[in-house]
Amino acid sequence: MTLGQRVAQKRKELGLSQEGLGERLGVSRQAIYKWESDASLPEIDKLITLSKIFSVPVGWLLGVEEAGPERPAQDQERLVEDILSRYQAVPQKSVWDKWSVRCLFALCGIMLALLVGTSAKVKEMEQRYDGLRQSIDSIAGSVDSQISAATQRMEESLKEQTDLTSHWSVELAHTDFYSNSATFTVQVTPKTFEEGMTALFTACNGIDTVEQTAEPGPGHTFSGEITCPLSNKISLSVSFLSGGTAQTQPLRDYFDLYASSGLSVGAAGIQTFPNYNNHTMPPKALNITVHLGDERFEPEPPASLQVGLFRERKLVQWFEPGVLPQGSYGSAAGPCWTNSREIVLEDGDYCTAALYTDESGRQMVYYRDAFRYDRSANPMISTTSGQAFPPDRCPVDPGDPGYWTF
């Protein structure tokens, strides 16, 4: 199991989303996604914070140590209580019995005093243990940092030895949303140049692979442009062809090019709770703030944005667009959507989602505020257990319309 898989496993066990874990660590959702997909590694301070959040050693996250359970504390005074309860069950008839009682209580007093002293020593030992554990954690953190630094130096040294290029650069030239493509400029200089050598630039988005040949220029440098279908991950590499052989070197990966180019939807004052008496959701105004960069759609909602209620990511009903008056539901004036008729709810997970279509025809889904409806439960609605996607089956790009049914 890789470090990324361990982070994903513990995050899901705690019921945290990638965004929720990112907020606790002070990083973006994209950073959590890159860690979990092993596209990058957390910094040392983030690894230490992750180990505290997940209650596991740093070594377990790195795959060099097993996580063990904490040992429960012992109740030391239970012994005295047990002795007294057993004595009280014995009949007391003679004077000798009374003296026995006194002796027994005296003995219990001595034992209690010893236990109190022992308890104080145990507490002192626990404090020493905590101090020792903190020292060990500090040493482990220092060792982890040194190991990380040494590993990075070794990787850099190994990379320098195995690199085929003495210099390379990759830049995103432009994106064309109408053709749904991204164009990159690539420039590479091989360490060893041979006459007749050519270069082959490759761009792969996980589905499509595009290749572009290049001839050497001044200084034996190969340069050119390559255009690839737009997606959320595009990997670029170069292959040097010479004497019937080919040697390939990865260059650069680009993430979230498709997602970051879309519309950003934020929701406020959404009221999607059903009427418990007749198992329906009556018409309610949904005040959704919509913006693209610094541009805002006011006062009319854009025709390219559709908002509706979904059950298990399947459309139940599209809402009607309108304008929310100032002060309605405690919100400022702005675009809103209202379900035109009452919706009869069935058991399942619901969420409000928006489908945006830009001027080039590209689509993206944004969803918020999932809830679960179960008429056999009390209460029938739960905002904490509802999920648009099960944690173990959440896709890399949940905003892809292909995961939704309209």
Side-chain angles (χ1 to χ4, degrees), residues 7 37 57 102 119 143 167 190 252 292 312 346 400:
V7 171
S37 60
R102 294 174 183 174
S119 178
V143 171
H167 169 79
R252 182 175 178 181
L292 176 59
E312 315 293 352
E346 301 177 10
D400 186 341

Side-chain angles (χ1 to χ4, degrees), residues 191-203:
K191 279 185 177 179
T192 304
F193 178 79
E194 299 178 2
E195 290 297 329
M197 176 182 286
T198 60
L200 181 68
F201 301 142
T202 302

Side-chain angles (χ1 to χ4, degrees), residues 9 28 36 50 59 61 74 80 94 104 125 132 141 161 252 272 304 316 336 360 365 374 378 391 397 401:
Q9 172 188 324
S28 66
E36 293 185 354
L50 280 170
L61 289 173
Q74 299 296 326
V80 175
S94 64
L104 182 58
M125 292 177 64
L132 179 60
Q161 296 176 17
R252 182 175 178 181
T272 53
S304 55
V316 176
C336 74
S360 64
V365 176
D374 183 355
N378 185 21
D397 183 14

Side-chain angles (χ1 to χ4, degrees), residues 242-273:
S242 178
T245 62
Q247 293 181 298
T248 302
Q249 176 181 316
L251 296 178
R252 182 175 178 181
D253 292 336
Y254 282 84
F255 296 92
D256 299 328
L257 290 180
Y258 185 94
S260 62
S261 65
L263 190 70
S264 180
V265 175
I270 291 184
Q271 300 186 30
T272 53
F273 297 100

Side-chain angles (χ1 to χ4, degrees), residues 26-320:
V27 300
S28 66
R29 179 192 66 79
Q30 288 82 2
I32 302 298
Y33 162 71
K34 292 179 182 178
W35 296 351
E36 293 185 354
S37 60
D38 294 313
S40 66
L41 294 174
E43 298 176 355
I44 294 302
D45 60 326
K46 302 302 182 187
L47 270 175
I48 295 175
T49 305
L50 280 170
S51 71
K52 294 179 179 178
I53 293 175
F54 296 154
S55 300
V56 296
V58 173
W60 182 86
L61 289 173
L62 296 174
V64 297
E65 179 181 355
E66 295 295 330
E70 297 289 338
R71 295 182 178 178
Q74 299 296 326
D75 188 358
Q76 299 176 348
E77 296 184 2
R78 186 174 298 172
L79 176 61
V80 175
E81 295 177 359
D82 184 56
I83 293 175
L84 290 176
S85 63
R86 291 187 180 185
Y87 172 77
Q88 291 172 353
V90 178
Q92 303 176 20
K93 297 180 179 180
S94 64
V95 175
W96 175 252
D97 290 335
K98 294 181 180 178
W99 281 105
S100 299
V101 171
R102 294 174 183 174
C103 292
L104 182 58
F105 272 94
L107 179 60
C108 288
I110 294 172
M111 293 182 65
L112 181 60
L114 291 174
L115 286 174
V116 171
T118 303
S119 178
K121 291 182 179 180
V122 169
K123 290 182 179 179
E124 180 180 357
M125 292 177 64
E126 288 177 348
Q127 292 175 352
R128 292 182 178 180
Y129 170 75
D130 290 340
L132 179 60
R133 185 171 59 182
Q134 292 177 2
S135 298
I136 293 175
D137 289 343
S138 177
I139 294 173
S142 176
V143 171
D144 289 340
S145 177
Q146 295 177 17
I147 292 175
S148 177
T151 301
Q152 184 177 357
R153 288 195 296 269
M154 291 177 61
E155 290 177 349
E156 291 175 351
S157 176
L158 182 62
K159 186 175 182 299
E160 289 178 359
Q161 296 176 17
T162 58
D163 271 357
L164 303 175
T165 62
S166 60
H167 169 79
W168 65 266
S169 66
V170 177
E171 298 293 338
L172 175 64
H174 59 83
T175 53
D176 186 342
F177 301 142
Y178 291 93
S179 63
N180 195 45
S181 63
T183 300
F184 305 88
T185 58
V186 186
Q187 187 177 74
V188 296
T189 303
K191 279 185 177 179
T192 304
F193 178 79
E194 299 178 2
E195 290 297 329
M197 176 182 286
T198 60
L200 181 68
F201 301 142
T202 302
C204 178
N205 65 3
I207 299 177
D208 301 303
T209 299
V210 180
E211 297 179 341
Q212 179 66 49
T213 58
E215 298 295 330
H220 302 150
T221 296
F222 298 85
S223 59
E225 289 190 346
I226 185 169
T227 300
C228 180
L230 192 61
S231 72
N232 277 332
K233 181 181 179 181
I234 298 179
S235 301
L236 293 104
S237 61
V238 62
S239 298
F240 294 109
L241 311 176
S242 178
T245 62
Q247 293 181 298
T248 302
Q249 176 181 316
L251 296 178
R252 182 175 178 181
D253 292 336
Y254 282 84
F255 296 92
D256 299 328
L257 290 180
Y258 185 94
S260 62
S261 65
L263 190 70
S264 180
V265 175
I270 291 184
Q271 300 186 30
T272 53
F273 297 100
N275 184 321
Y276 294 135
N277 295 327
N278 55 11
H279 307 287
T280 63
M281 190 183 78
K284 292 288 184 180
L286 307 179
N287 180 22
I288 300 182
T289 300
V290 183
H291 58 89
L292 176 59
D294 294 329
E295 300 179 16
R296 298 175 64 88
F297 298 97
E298 292 182 350
E300 296 291 339
S304 55
L305 186 70
Q306 296 173 277
V307 180
L309 183 70
F310 290 77
R311 175 180 174 273
E312 315 293 352
R313 301 183 305 283
K314 295 181 180 179
L315 177 65
V316 176
Q317 182 187 129
W318 287 120
F319 296 154
E320 298 293 332

Side-chain angles (χ1 to χ4, degrees), residues 361-377:
R362 297 186 313 138
Q363 292 185 320
M364 182 69 72
V365 176
Y366 305 86
Y367 63 94
R368 293 289 301 274
D369 298 347
F371 67 88
R372 174 166 295 171
Y373 180 76
D374 183 355
R375 68 174 60 198
S376 65

